[in-house]
């Protein structure tokens, strides 16, 4: 799929389909109105018949409208004129993509970005269209044998705007490509997407982009670094752990932003075994890692002037004769001893060593992204990712990037008051707290390993994938992370 820009006015456009917005009560967007005049009010007569009322997400595909150069006009409802909400705009662009994807249309031109969406900039509207379109077009096929290629695949959407939407289209393309990569890695089953597989994908990313290089640390190298916490998790698995380091070099000598992604390719819980129902979804426990891959691919495509290092600790968490047992004490790379009271709280065990390792890059900031706690789903549902940080300006930047990208986050506190839950009688720290504030105590655990730098933690257990009938990875929080990096560059 290609996202392009055009400044050719709809009246003279030649494309398989022109997409224009209509509002409730038969109101027309500027481009719809232009086409309507050109067709001698044909479009408003059709609307008056009542087949489309303009509610957000409604569509009506018109063929051979008198006086219009393009063979088709797609009317898309955007709700009440003048007050299109972000959600209505996303419903509209999703509906548009659904029609474009289920017809013989190959090249479409969208005029939807001309409408006002809560005063959002053109870039937002274009990116959001690319993101909704990619979500509609994405089809998981890698482990299916009965997939027929689509007869008329959609090939391009051009965005009409007088002021040239080229830059916006390019960023929409890059972000949605990054999301697709994250989705694909997330959806792959645990028997294919192993730590070794993820390491190979990092090598492929480095082959694809000159600006990315990668280093993979194996278990011996991690042992030499003293990563006793990380390695205690992989000891119970036949799949060797990997520490994947990806270096995106886009600026001469700037301190890097380090993104640490939890890469649990399958989390059975270990000896603290998870219940069997729904356990398949724990293949998604590497979605933090997947978002780091997707973000690096997106910023490499956009050639952003910034240095970013992706660090992905990757392992399985399995029950085994050699697995961690409740009560075991392990020593982390930082030297702190950890009492493992629940082997299912393994994410923090691999992340703490990866965070300690991150300090060697003299990072400007470190952000970890992890499907860390079920509790964050209880707190925030699938709407927002949880945000916790040891530095409020950094938290504010992530909140801002969440609002800007509409890939939103919500902050929870990590006050000292919560830290005592992690007290242990037998080690420096326990790996779980009590029943209360599970997402906060998980972050408190990580905070013990991030004292030397500005750090934020994103708990994406509720946002990285959908369960149920529409089960699948979402590609979040790639838009958030790319936006954060774009804002970061702009603030320099
Ligand atoms: N990967 C899970 C978190 C998770 C659970 C994500 C359910 C999405 C859905 C993590 O490793 C885990 O098991 N966390 C435990 C922590 C607990 C033992 C303190 C949890 O959330 O139950
Ligand atoms: Mn777990
Ligand atoms: Zn986990």
């Amino acid at each position: 799929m290609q996202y392009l820009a055009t400044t050719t006015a709809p009246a003279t456009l030649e494309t398989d389909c022109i997409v224009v917005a209509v509002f409730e009560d038969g109101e027309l967007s500027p481009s719809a109105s232009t086409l309507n005049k050109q067709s001698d009010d044909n479009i408003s007569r059709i609307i008056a018949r009542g087949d489309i009322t303009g509610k957000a997400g409604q569509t009506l595909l018109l063929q051979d409208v008198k006086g219009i150069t393009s063979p088709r006009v797609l009317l898309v409802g955007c709700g009440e004129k003048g007050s299109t909400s972000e959600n209505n705009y996303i419903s509209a662009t999703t509906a548009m993509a659904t029609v474009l994807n289920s017809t013989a249309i190959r090249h479409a031109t969208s005029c939807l970005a001309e409408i006002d969406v809560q005063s959002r900039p053109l870039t937002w509207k274009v990116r959001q269209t690319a993101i909704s379109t990619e979500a509609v077009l994405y089809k998981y096929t890698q482990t299916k044998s009965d997939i027929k290629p689509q007869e008329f695949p959609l090939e391009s959407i051009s965005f009409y705007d007088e002021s040239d939407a080229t830059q916006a289209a390019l960023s929409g393309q890059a972000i949605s490509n990054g999301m697709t990569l994250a989705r694909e890695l997330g959806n792959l089953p645990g028997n294919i997407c192993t730590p070794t597989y993820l390491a190979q994908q990092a090598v492929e990313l480095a082959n694809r982009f000159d600006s990315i290089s990668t280093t993979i640390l194996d278990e011996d190298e991690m042992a030499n670094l003293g990563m006793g916490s990380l390695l205690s998790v992989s000891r119970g698995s036949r799949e060797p752990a990997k520490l994947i380091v990806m270096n995106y070099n886009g600026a001469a000598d700037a301190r890097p932003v380090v993104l640490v992604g939890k890469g649990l390719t399958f989390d059975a819980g270990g000896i603290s075994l998870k219940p069997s129902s729904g356990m398949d979804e724990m293949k998604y426990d590497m979605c933090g890692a997947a978002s780091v891959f997707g973000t690096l691919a997106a910023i490499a495509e956009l050639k952003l002037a910034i240095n970013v290092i992706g660090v992905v600790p990757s392992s399985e968490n399995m029950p085994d004769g050699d697995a961690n047992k409740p009560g075991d004490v392990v020593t982390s790379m930082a030297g702190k001893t950890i009492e493992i009271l629940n082997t299912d709280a393994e994410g923090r065990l691999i992340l703490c060593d990866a965070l300690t390792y991150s300090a060697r890059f003299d990072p400007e900031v470190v952000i970890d992204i992890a499907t860390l706690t079920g509790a964050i789903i209880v707190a925030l549902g699938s709407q927002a990712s949880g945000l916790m940080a040891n530095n409020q300006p950094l938290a504010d930047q992530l909140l801002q990037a969440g609002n800007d990208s509409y890939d939103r986050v919500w902050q929870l506190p990590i006050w000292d008051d919560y830290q005592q839950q992690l007290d242990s009688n037998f080690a420096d720290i326990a790996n779980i707290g009590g029943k209360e504030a599970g997402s906060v105590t998980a972050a408190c655990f990580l905070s013990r390993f991030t004292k030397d730098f500005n750090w934020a933690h994103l708990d994406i257990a509720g946002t990285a994938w959908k369960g149920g009938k529409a089960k699948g990875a979402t590609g979040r929080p790639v838009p958030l992370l790319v936006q954060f990096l774009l804002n970061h560059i702009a603030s320099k």
Side-chain angles (χ1 to χ4, degrees), residues 98-121:
T98 308
V99 174
L100 298 180
N101 192 39
S102 57
T103 53
I105 297 165
R106 287 183 192 273
H107 303 281
T109 299
S110 166
C111 305
L112 296 185
E114 70 187 355
I115 72 171
D116 176 51
V117 183
Q118 311 299 312
S119 307
R120 293 275 187 178

Side-chain angles (χ1 to χ4, degrees), residues 1-6 89-90 93 96 110-115 117 120-134 157-176 404-405:
M1 235 334 256
Q2 268 207 302
Y3 298 96
L4 306 162
T6 178
Y89 189 73
I90 291 168
T93 53
M96 170 194 81
S110 166
C111 305
L112 296 185
E114 70 187 355
I115 72 171
V117 183
R120 293 275 187 178
L122 173 71
T123 330
W124 185 89
K125 292 180 277 189
V126 166
R127 282 184 196 156
Q128 217 49 250
T129 311
I131 291 170
S132 329
T133 302
E134 220 61 34
I157 295 179
S158 300
F159 295 95
Y160 166 68
D161 193 87
E162 286 167 348
S163 70
D164 188 9
T166 303
Q167 280 312 313
L170 285 174
S171 66
Q173 174 107 59
I175 292 167
S176 56
D404 291 348
S405 62

Side-chain angles (χ1 to χ4, degrees), residues 6 24 31 111 140 145 147 154 162 168-169 183 188 192 210 213 245 251 309-310 312 332 377 392 403 408:
T6 178
E24 284 171 39
S31 293
C111 305
Y140 176 84
S145 63
I147 295 294
L154 183 62
E162 286 167 348
R183 270 198 186 97
L188 278 174
I192 292 175
D210 287 342
S213 58
V245 183
I309 296 177
V312 170
S332 63
I377 313 174
Q392 194 53 39
N403 280 329
R408 290 168 295 176

Side-chain angles (χ1 to χ4, degrees), residues 262 264 267 274 282 285 317 344 346-347 371-372:
K262 175 178 173 182
L264 248 296
D267 177 14
K274 285 185 181 295
M282 282 300 116
D285 214 13
N317 184 27
D344 197 12
E346 85 299 336
T371 49
L372 203 64

Side-chain angles (χ1 to χ4, degrees), residues 231-244:
L231 290 171
S232 79
V233 176
S234 66
R235 227 182 36 236
S237 161
R238 313 266 174 106
E239 293 292 340
K242 303 285 174 192
L243 185 71
I244 303 163

